[in-house]
Amino acid sequence: MAHTEDQQKSLVFDASVLQHEANIPQQFIWPDHEKPNSQKSKELEVPLIDLGGFLSGHSSSAEEASSLVGKACQKHGFFLVVNHGVDANLISDAERYLDLFFELPLSEKQRAQRKAGESCGYASSFTGRFSSKLPWKETLSFRFLSEENSSNIVKDYFKNTMGPEFVRLGKVYQEYCNAMNKLSLGIMELLGMSLGVGPSSLQGIFRRK
């Protein structure tokens, strides 16, 4: 048992290395029947909700959007939104900095390594949780709070964890989280309306005073 645990601890996921390896560890090789297959998958028609009128404050648009949200949740369980008010340049910056982080050498990313028992930080492929069928996956998690005294929590996380050269990355994700928080509360308003419990009922569960 100890031998297996030692082997598990020594298993490290590094995509930049593994993609060039001739002998990939068996844990990262999934059975053929469980691999993605574009030939068998069907295109899913995802409901599209236009938030433009709702965000502009038009009551009729809000009622229409809430109705569409309600129907989408009943039939599909999810939906896509357009005209959501999140700046396109901010979304582009968030995607660009995401790529920049994950393209860093493994030793750099591990400066933010998630510690045992914690939910924030860098993690790769769940090598500490599973022993087989490991995904080619990397994640970076960090806390966000909408309270006024936590307005720099994301930016400070990157500065304190990764170093001052990552302040710009932290600033982008602070702004991105603020925008996503605002959008999420708007969607909560539509969900409340669609359920007939009032536009602010669900918001109150998630809104920080």
Side-chain angles (χ1 to χ4, degrees):
M1 182 67 178
H3 179 65
T4 302
E5 290 179 352
D6 289 341
Q7 285 181 322
Q8 187 61 28
K9 288 178 181 178
S10 65
L11 184 65
V12 176
F13 175 79
D14 188 349
S16 63
V17 174
L18 286 178
Q19 64 183 331
H20 300 295
E21 287 285 333
N23 298 313
I24 298 175
Q26 282 296 122
Q27 292 93 328
F28 295 109
I29 302 177
W30 284 47
D32 289 339
H33 70 278
E34 293 188 31
K35 294 178 181 177
N37 190 330
S38 59
Q39 303 299 320
K40 294 182 180 180
S41 62
K42 297 180 180 179
E43 185 175 350
L44 182 65
E45 293 185 9
V46 182
L48 199 63
I49 313 295
D50 190 333
L51 299 183
F54 162 67
L55 294 176
S56 297
H58 300 153
S59 58
S60 59
S61 296
E63 292 176 4
E64 181 181 358
S66 68
S67 176
L68 292 174
V69 164
K71 291 176 181 176
C73 289
Q74 290 175 4
K75 185 175 181 180
H76 298 278
F78 56 90
F79 50 87
L80 293 175
V81 296
V82 294
N83 295 323
H84 42 65
V86 181
D87 185 82
N89 290 325
L90 178 58
I91 295 174
S92 178
D93 283 346
E95 293 175 348
R96 181 165 58 88
Y97 277 100
L98 188 73
D99 290 338
L100 288 173
F101 176 84
F102 285 111
E103 288 171 0
L104 288 171
L106 181 62
S107 59
E108 288 289 302
K109 291 182 284 191
Q110 287 180 327
R111 288 161 66 179
Q113 185 72 40
R114 183 184 301 175
K115 298 178 182 178
E118 295 186 356
S119 58
C120 296
Y122 168 78
S124 60
S125 212
F126 303 112
T127 54
R129 293 175 56 192
F130 304 108
S131 59
S132 62
K133 294 200 301 186
L134 297 173
W136 287 58
K137 178 180 180 179
E138 297 175 286
T139 62
L140 178 65
S141 306
F142 47 85
R143 292 184 69 203
F144 167 77
L145 296 172
S146 59
E147 288 101 328
E148 187 174 332
N149 61 357
S150 300
S151 59
N152 292 317
I153 187 171
V154 178
K155 185 170 67 174
D156 290 344
Y157 171 80
F158 280 98
K159 178 182 178 181
N160 297 334
T161 304
M162 300 292 294
E165 64 269 32
F166 287 87
V167 168
R168 175 57 185 165
L169 187 153
K171 184 175 185 296
V172 166
Y173 274 97
Q174 183 73 61
E175 294 176 5
Y176 185 77
C177 287
N178 289 336
M180 289 297 110
N181 180 63
K182 181 179 179 181
L183 174 59
S184 297
L185 290 174
I187 292 175
M188 284 294 171
E189 182 176 338
L190 292 176
L191 286 168
M193 292 173 64
S194 73
L195 293 170
V197 296
S200 60
S201 297
L202 296 182
Q203 278 189 350
I205 299 174
F206 298 93
R207 187 187 294 275
R208 301 271 184 171
K209 299 296 184 180

